[in-house]
PDB file of all heavy atoms in Angstrom:
ATOM      1  N   SER A 250      37.036  18.779 -64.260  1.00  0.00           N
ATOM      2  CA  SER A 250      35.673  18.443 -64.683  1.00  0.00           C
ATOM      3  C   SER A 250      35.384  18.702 -66.144  1.00  0.00           C
ATOM      4  O   SER A 250      35.514  19.828 -66.657  1.00  0.00           O
ATOM      5  CB  SER A 250      34.645  19.303 -63.936  1.00  0.00           C
ATOM      6  OG  SER A 250      34.732  19.041 -62.556  1.00  0.00           O
ATOM      7  N   ASN A 332      41.337  23.190 -64.479  1.00  0.00           N
ATOM      8  CA  ASN A 332      40.061  23.011 -63.725  1.00  0.00           C
ATOM      9  C   ASN A 332      38.985  23.883 -64.336  1.00  0.00           C
ATOM     10  O   ASN A 332      39.249  24.748 -65.202  1.00  0.00           O
ATOM     11  CB  ASN A 332      40.264  23.327 -62.234  1.00  0.00           C
ATOM     12  CG  ASN A 332      40.826  24.686 -62.003  1.00  0.00           C
ATOM     13  OD1 ASN A 332      40.761  25.554 -62.871  1.00  0.00           O
ATOM     14  ND2 ASN A 332      41.472  24.896 -60.850  1.00  0.00           N
ATOM     15  N   ALA A 333      37.786  23.615 -63.915  1.00  0.00           N
ATOM     16  CA  ALA A 333      36.619  24.446 -64.279  1.00  0.00           C
ATOM     17  C   ALA A 333      36.390  25.443 -63.160  1.00  0.00           C
ATOM     18  O   ALA A 333      36.474  25.086 -61.981  1.00  0.00           O
ATOM     19  CB  ALA A 333      35.398  23.552 -64.483  1.00  0.00           C
ATOM     20  N   VAL A 334      36.085  26.687 -63.504  1.00  0.00           N
ATOM     21  CA  VAL A 334      35.882  27.718 -62.493  1.00  0.00           C
ATOM     22  C   VAL A 334      34.710  28.606 -62.866  1.00  0.00           C
ATOM     23  O   VAL A 334      34.274  28.697 -64.020  1.00  0.00           O
ATOM     24  CB  VAL A 334      37.144  28.611 -62.366  1.00  0.00           C
ATOM     25  CG1 VAL A 334      38.302  27.847 -61.825  1.00  0.00           C
ATOM     26  CG2 VAL A 334      37.472  29.287 -63.675  1.00  0.00           C
ATOM     27  N   GLY A 335      34.227  29.323 -61.818  1.00  0.00           N
ATOM     28  CA  GLY A 335      33.330  30.433 -62.036  1.00  0.00           C
ATOM     29  C   GLY A 335      34.157  31.679 -62.256  1.00  0.00           C
ATOM     30  O   GLY A 335      35.167  31.883 -61.563  1.00  0.00           O
ATOM     31  N   GLY A 336      33.757  32.539 -63.218  1.00  0.00           N
ATOM     32  CA  GLY A 336      34.463  33.787 -63.450  1.00  0.00           C
ATOM     33  C   GLY A 336      33.927  34.874 -62.551  1.00  0.00           C
ATOM     34  O   GLY A 336      32.711  35.135 -62.553  1.00  0.00           O
ATOM     35  N   LEU A 337      34.779  35.490 -61.769  1.00  0.00           N
ATOM     36  CA  LEU A 337      34.322  36.545 -60.847  1.00  0.00           C
ATOM     37  C   LEU A 337      34.502  37.933 -61.478  1.00  0.00           C
ATOM     38  O   LEU A 337      33.738  38.825 -61.177  1.00  0.00           O
ATOM     39  CB  LEU A 337      35.154  36.492 -59.534  1.00  0.00           C
ATOM     40  CG  LEU A 337      34.885  35.243 -58.694  1.00  0.00           C
ATOM     41  CD1 LEU A 337      35.984  35.096 -57.613  1.00  0.00           C
ATOM     42  CD2 LEU A 337      33.529  35.317 -58.003  1.00  0.00           C
ATOM     43  N   TYR A 381      43.007  32.854 -57.954  1.00  0.00           N
ATOM     44  CA  TYR A 381      42.000  31.790 -57.906  1.00  0.00           C
ATOM     45  C   TYR A 381      41.669  31.581 -56.414  1.00  0.00           C
ATOM     46  O   TYR A 381      42.552  31.502 -55.597  1.00  0.00           O
ATOM     47  CB  TYR A 381      42.572  30.512 -58.487  1.00  0.00           C
ATOM     48  CG  TYR A 381      41.800  29.221 -58.210  1.00  0.00           C
ATOM     49  CD1 TYR A 381      40.705  28.853 -58.973  1.00  0.00           C
ATOM     50  CD2 TYR A 381      42.194  28.379 -57.150  1.00  0.00           C
ATOM     51  CE1 TYR A 381      40.017  27.675 -58.729  1.00  0.00           C
ATOM     52  CE2 TYR A 381      41.520  27.178 -56.946  1.00  0.00           C
ATOM     53  CZ  TYR A 381      40.428  26.856 -57.727  1.00  0.00           C
ATOM     54  OH  TYR A 381      39.750  25.668 -57.486  1.00  0.00           O
ATOM     55  N   VAL A 382      40.356  31.532 -56.139  1.00  0.00           N
ATOM     56  CA  VAL A 382      39.957  31.276 -54.730  1.00  0.00           C
ATOM     57  C   VAL A 382      39.318  29.901 -54.654  1.00  0.00           C
ATOM     58  O   VAL A 382      38.385  29.587 -55.424  1.00  0.00           O
ATOM     59  CB  VAL A 382      38.952  32.332 -54.200  1.00  0.00           C
ATOM     60  CG1 VAL A 382      38.551  32.000 -52.788  1.00  0.00           C
ATOM     61  CG2 VAL A 382      39.623  33.702 -54.239  1.00  0.00           C
ATOM     62  N   MET A 384      37.049  27.234 -52.783  1.00  0.00           N
ATOM     63  CA  MET A 384      35.939  27.080 -51.808  1.00  0.00           C
ATOM     64  C   MET A 384      35.802  25.596 -51.612  1.00  0.00           C
ATOM     65  O   MET A 384      35.951  24.813 -52.529  1.00  0.00           O
ATOM     66  CB  MET A 384      34.664  27.669 -52.382  1.00  0.00           C
ATOM     67  CG  MET A 384      34.707  29.113 -52.749  1.00  0.00           C
ATOM     68  SD  MET A 384      34.556  30.253 -51.380  1.00  0.00           S
ATOM     69  CE  MET A 384      32.833  30.142 -51.021  1.00  0.00           C
ATOM     70  N   GLY A 386      33.002  23.809 -51.227  1.00  0.00           N
ATOM     71  CA  GLY A 386      31.933  23.184 -52.002  1.00  0.00           C
ATOM     72  C   GLY A 386      31.213  22.159 -51.157  1.00  0.00           C
ATOM     73  O   GLY A 386      31.464  22.024 -49.984  1.00  0.00           O
ATOM     74  N   PRO A 387      30.310  21.304 -51.723  1.00  0.00           N
ATOM     75  CA  PRO A 387      30.018  21.225 -53.133  1.00  0.00           C
ATOM     76  C   PRO A 387      29.027  22.271 -53.661  1.00  0.00           C
ATOM     77  O   PRO A 387      28.743  22.309 -54.838  1.00  0.00           O
ATOM     78  CB  PRO A 387      29.413  19.811 -53.274  1.00  0.00           C
ATOM     79  CG  PRO A 387      28.693  19.606 -51.977  1.00  0.00           C
ATOM     80  CD  PRO A 387      29.564  20.316 -50.936  1.00  0.00           C
ATOM     81  N   CYS A 388      28.420  23.112 -52.771  1.00  0.00           N
ATOM     82  CA  CYS A 388      27.437  24.100 -53.250  1.00  0.00           C
ATOM     83  C   CYS A 388      28.176  25.185 -54.011  1.00  0.00           C
ATOM     84  O   CYS A 388      29.293  25.594 -53.647  1.00  0.00           O
ATOM     85  CB  CYS A 388      26.721  24.719 -52.077  1.00  0.00           C
ATOM     86  SG  CYS A 388      25.808  23.527 -51.123  1.00  0.00           S
ATOM     87  N   TYR A 389      27.539  25.681 -55.051  1.00  0.00           N
ATOM     88  CA  TYR A 389      28.067  26.890 -55.720  1.00  0.00           C
ATOM     89  C   TYR A 389      27.823  28.054 -54.784  1.00  0.00           C
ATOM     90  O   TYR A 389      26.993  28.006 -53.878  1.00  0.00           O
ATOM     91  CB  TYR A 389      27.453  27.048 -57.061  1.00  0.00           C
ATOM     92  CG  TYR A 389      27.842  25.950 -58.042  1.00  0.00           C
ATOM     93  CD1 TYR A 389      26.971  24.872 -58.329  1.00  0.00           C
ATOM     94  CD2 TYR A 389      29.122  25.927 -58.588  1.00  0.00           C
ATOM     95  CE1 TYR A 389      27.374  23.855 -59.216  1.00  0.00           C
ATOM     96  CE2 TYR A 389      29.535  24.939 -59.454  1.00  0.00           C
ATOM     97  CZ  TYR A 389      28.629  23.883 -59.692  1.00  0.00           C
ATOM     98  OH  TYR A 389      29.070  22.863 -60.530  1.00  0.00           O
ATOM     99  N   GLU A 390      28.531  29.121 -55.020  1.00  0.00           N
ATOM    100  CA  GLU A 390      28.544  30.267 -54.111  1.00  0.00           C
ATOM    101  C   GLU A 390      27.184  31.008 -54.100  1.00  0.00           C
ATOM    102  O   GLU A 390      26.536  31.122 -55.122  1.00  0.00           O
ATOM    103  CB  GLU A 390      29.649  31.266 -54.442  1.00  0.00           C
ATOM    104  CG  GLU A 390      31.073  30.676 -54.373  1.00  0.00           C
ATOM    105  CD  GLU A 390      31.377  29.578 -55.387  1.00  0.00           C
ATOM    106  OE1 GLU A 390      30.979  29.735 -56.559  1.00  0.00           O
ATOM    107  OE2 GLU A 390      31.962  28.563 -54.979  1.00  0.00           O
ATOM    108  N   ILE A 395      29.748  35.643 -53.588  1.00  0.00           N
ATOM    109  CA  ILE A 395      30.362  36.143 -54.852  1.00  0.00           C
ATOM    110  C   ILE A 395      30.763  37.605 -54.687  1.00  0.00           C
ATOM    111  O   ILE A 395      31.831  38.041 -55.054  1.00  0.00           O
ATOM    112  CB  ILE A 395      29.337  35.950 -56.016  1.00  0.00           C
ATOM    113  CG1 ILE A 395      29.243  34.447 -56.314  1.00  0.00           C
ATOM    114  CG2 ILE A 395      29.793  36.712 -57.253  1.00  0.00           C
ATOM    115  CD1 ILE A 395      28.050  34.104 -57.205  1.00  0.00           C
ATOM    116  N   THR A 405      38.833  34.236 -60.165  1.00  0.00           N
ATOM    117  CA  THR A 405      38.037  33.029 -60.422  1.00  0.00           C
ATOM    118  C   THR A 405      37.810  32.298 -59.104  1.00  0.00           C
ATOM    119  O   THR A 405      38.517  32.494 -58.096  1.00  0.00           O
ATOM    120  CB  THR A 405      38.806  32.055 -61.362  1.00  0.00           C
ATOM    121  OG1 THR A 405      40.059  31.732 -60.817  1.00  0.00           O
ATOM    122  CG2 THR A 405      38.965  32.635 -62.784  1.00  0.00           C
ATOM    123  N   VAL A 406      36.790  31.378 -59.139  1.00  0.00           N
ATOM    124  CA  VAL A 406      36.480  30.632 -57.933  1.00  0.00           C
ATOM    125  C   VAL A 406      36.214  29.143 -58.352  1.00  0.00           C
ATOM    126  O   VAL A 406      35.633  28.919 -59.404  1.00  0.00           O
ATOM    127  CB  VAL A 406      35.274  31.195 -57.170  1.00  0.00           C
ATOM    128  CG1 VAL A 406      34.024  31.290 -58.002  1.00  0.00           C
ATOM    129  CG2 VAL A 406      34.973  30.390 -55.927  1.00  0.00           C
ATOM    130  N   GLY A 407      36.735  28.189 -57.568  1.00  0.00           N
ATOM    131  CA  GLY A 407      36.518  26.792 -57.871  1.00  0.00           C
ATOM    132  C   GLY A 407      36.636  25.945 -56.639  1.00  0.00           C
ATOM    133  O   GLY A 407      36.869  26.457 -55.527  1.00  0.00           O
ATOM    134  N   MET A 408      36.522  24.652 -56.848  1.00  0.00           N
ATOM    135  CA  MET A 408      36.507  23.725 -55.678  1.00  0.00           C
ATOM    136  C   MET A 408      37.588  22.637 -55.785  1.00  0.00           C
ATOM    137  O   MET A 408      37.457  21.565 -55.163  1.00  0.00           O
ATOM    138  CB  MET A 408      35.135  23.029 -55.615  1.00  0.00           C
ATOM    139  CG  MET A 408      33.961  23.935 -55.556  1.00  0.00           C
ATOM    140  SD  MET A 408      32.437  22.948 -55.564  1.00  0.00           S
ATOM    141  CE  MET A 408      31.266  24.255 -56.065  1.00  0.00           C
ATOM    142  N   SER A 409      38.627  22.909 -56.553  1.00  0.00           N
ATOM    143  CA  SER A 409      39.654  21.920 -56.694  1.00  0.00           C
ATOM    144  C   SER A 409      41.055  22.544 -56.691  1.00  0.00           C
ATOM    145  O   SER A 409      41.152  23.788 -56.479  1.00  0.00           O
ATOM    146  CB  SER A 409      39.469  21.117 -57.999  1.00  0.00           C
ATOM    147  OG  SER A 409      39.779  21.989 -59.108  1.00  0.00           O
ATOM    148  N   CYS A 429      39.344  26.946 -66.899  1.00  0.00           N
ATOM    149  CA  CYS A 429      38.335  27.213 -67.918  1.00  0.00           C
ATOM    150  C   CYS A 429      37.101  27.841 -67.237  1.00  0.00           C
ATOM    151  O   CYS A 429      36.534  27.206 -66.356  1.00  0.00           O
ATOM    152  CB  CYS A 429      37.951  25.907 -68.629  1.00  0.00           C
ATOM    153  SG  CYS A 429      36.545  26.176 -69.674  1.00  0.00           S
ATOM    154  N   VAL A 430      36.772  29.021 -67.638  1.00  0.00           N
ATOM    155  CA  VAL A 430      35.560  29.673 -67.074  1.00  0.00           C
ATOM    156  C   VAL A 430      34.324  28.968 -67.650  1.00  0.00           C
ATOM    157  O   VAL A 430      34.145  28.982 -68.858  1.00  0.00           O
ATOM    158  CB  VAL A 430      35.522  31.182 -67.393  1.00  0.00           C
ATOM    159  CG1 VAL A 430      34.233  31.850 -66.908  1.00  0.00           C
ATOM    160  CG2 VAL A 430      36.748  31.876 -66.821  1.00  0.00           C
ATOM    161  N   THR A 431      33.546  28.359 -66.780  1.00  0.00           N
ATOM    162  CA  THR A 431      32.345  27.665 -67.305  1.00  0.00           C
ATOM    163  C   THR A 431      31.101  28.466 -67.053  1.00  0.00           C
ATOM    164  O   THR A 431      30.048  28.234 -67.666  1.00  0.00           O
ATOM    165  CB  THR A 431      32.184  26.273 -66.597  1.00  0.00           C
ATOM    166  OG1 THR A 431      32.221  26.484 -65.164  1.00  0.00           O
ATOM    167  CG2 THR A 431      33.299  25.360 -67.008  1.00  0.00           C
ATOM    168  N   ASN A 432      31.176  29.434 -66.144  1.00  0.00           N
ATOM    169  CA  ASN A 432      30.009  30.277 -65.827  1.00  0.00           C
ATOM    170  C   ASN A 432      30.500  31.581 -65.253  1.00  0.00           C
ATOM    171  O   ASN A 432      31.606  31.649 -64.701  1.00  0.00           O
ATOM    172  CB  ASN A 432      29.108  29.576 -64.831  1.00  0.00           C
ATOM    173  CG  ASN A 432      29.854  29.155 -63.590  1.00  0.00           C
ATOM    174  OD1 ASN A 432      30.645  28.188 -63.620  1.00  0.00           O
ATOM    175  ND2 ASN A 432      29.655  29.837 -62.482  1.00  0.00           N
ATOM    176  N   VAL A 433      29.692  32.589 -65.459  1.00  0.00           N
ATOM    177  CA  VAL A 433      30.036  33.930 -64.947  1.00  0.00           C
ATOM    178  C   VAL A 433      29.276  34.130 -63.663  1.00  0.00           C
ATOM    179  O   VAL A 433      28.051  34.008 -63.641  1.00  0.00           O
ATOM    180  CB  VAL A 433      29.741  35.011 -66.003  1.00  0.00           C
ATOM    181  CG1 VAL A 433      30.145  36.378 -65.477  1.00  0.00           C
ATOM    182  CG2 VAL A 433      30.457  34.702 -67.266  1.00  0.00           C
ATOM    183  N   CYS A 434      29.959  34.395 -62.562  1.00  0.00           N
ATOM    184  CA  CYS A 434      29.338  34.511 -61.263  1.00  0.00           C
ATOM    185  C   CYS A 434      28.592  35.852 -61.103  1.00  0.00           C
ATOM    186  O   CYS A 434      29.074  36.880 -61.547  1.00  0.00           O
ATOM    187  CB  CYS A 434      30.357  34.392 -60.148  1.00  0.00           C
ATOM    188  SG  CYS A 434      31.219  32.822 -60.149  1.00  0.00           S
ATOM    189  N   ILE A 441      23.473  27.554 -61.690  1.00  0.00           N
ATOM    190  CA  ILE A 441      24.545  26.764 -62.317  1.00  0.00           C
ATOM    191  C   ILE A 441      24.405  25.278 -61.892  1.00  0.00           C
ATOM    192  O   ILE A 441      24.088  24.984 -60.771  1.00  0.00           O
ATOM    193  CB  ILE A 441      25.917  27.382 -61.918  1.00  0.00           C
ATOM    194  CG1 ILE A 441      27.094  26.536 -62.383  1.00  0.00           C
ATOM    195  CG2 ILE A 441      26.044  27.633 -60.465  1.00  0.00           C
ATOM    196  CD1 ILE A 441      27.418  26.782 -63.769  1.00  0.00           C
ATOM    197  N   THR A 442      24.648  24.399 -62.852  1.00  0.00           N
ATOM    198  CA  THR A 442      24.628  22.967 -62.537  1.00  0.00           C
ATOM    199  C   THR A 442      25.939  22.285 -62.912  1.00  0.00           C
ATOM    200  O   THR A 442      26.701  22.817 -63.762  1.00  0.00           O
ATOM    201  CB  THR A 442      23.494  22.249 -63.331  1.00  0.00           C
ATOM    202  OG1 THR A 442      23.824  22.345 -64.732  1.00  0.00           O
ATOM    203  CG2 THR A 442      22.127  22.826 -63.055  1.00  0.00           C
ATOM    204  N   HIS A 445      26.097  21.639 -66.658  1.00  0.00           N
ATOM    205  CA  HIS A 445      26.456  22.828 -67.464  1.00  0.00           C
ATOM    206  C   HIS A 445      27.988  23.044 -67.414  1.00  0.00           C
ATOM    207  O   HIS A 445      28.622  23.338 -68.436  1.00  0.00           O
ATOM    208  CB  HIS A 445      25.731  24.066 -66.918  1.00  0.00           C
ATOM    209  CG  HIS A 445      26.210  25.352 -67.507  1.00  0.00           C
ATOM    210  ND1 HIS A 445      25.744  25.876 -68.670  1.00  0.00           N
ATOM    211  CD2 HIS A 445      27.233  26.192 -67.096  1.00  0.00           C
ATOM    212  CE1 HIS A 445      26.399  26.992 -68.944  1.00  0.00           C
ATOM    213  NE2 HIS A 445      27.298  27.225 -68.024  1.00  0.00           N
ATOM    214  N   VAL A 446      28.553  22.907 -66.237  1.00  0.00           N
ATOM    215  CA  VAL A 446      29.994  23.060 -66.046  1.00  0.00           C
ATOM    216  C   VAL A 446      30.743  22.104 -66.966  1.00  0.00           C
ATOM    217  O   VAL A 446      31.682  22.432 -67.660  1.00  0.00           O
ATOM    218  CB  VAL A 446      30.359  22.853 -64.555  1.00  0.00           C
ATOM    219  CG1 VAL A 446      31.871  22.715 -64.385  1.00  0.00           C
ATOM    220  CG2 VAL A 446      29.885  24.054 -63.701  1.00  0.00           C
TER     221      VAL A 446
HETATM  222  N1  LIG B 383      31.983  28.061 -58.320  1.00  0.00           N
HETATM  223  C1  LIG B 383      32.809  27.064 -57.842  1.00  0.00           C
HETATM  224  N2  LIG B 383      33.294  26.112 -58.576  1.00  0.00           N
HETATM  225  C2  LIG B 383      33.003  26.132 -59.872  1.00  0.00           C
HETATM  226  C3  LIG B 383      32.191  27.125 -60.445  1.00  0.00           C
HETATM  227  C4  LIG B 383      31.646  28.145 -59.618  1.00  0.00           C
HETATM  228  O1  LIG B 383      30.943  29.061 -60.035  1.00  0.00           O
HETATM  229  N3  LIG B 383      32.060  26.864 -61.796  1.00  0.00           N
HETATM  230  C5  LIG B 383      32.830  25.753 -62.004  1.00  0.00           C
HETATM  231  N4  LIG B 383      33.370  25.311 -60.870  1.00  0.00           N
END
Side-chain angles (χ1 to χ4, degrees):
S250 298
N332 55 21
V334 294
L337 293 165
Y381 166 84
V382 179
M384 301 281 284
C388 299
Y389 292 103
E390 297 67 42
I395 290 166
T405 56
V406 58
M408 304 177 198
S409 70
C429 170
V430 175
T431 54
N432 53 288
V433 181
C434 298
I441 173 82
T442 63
H445 169 87
V446 166

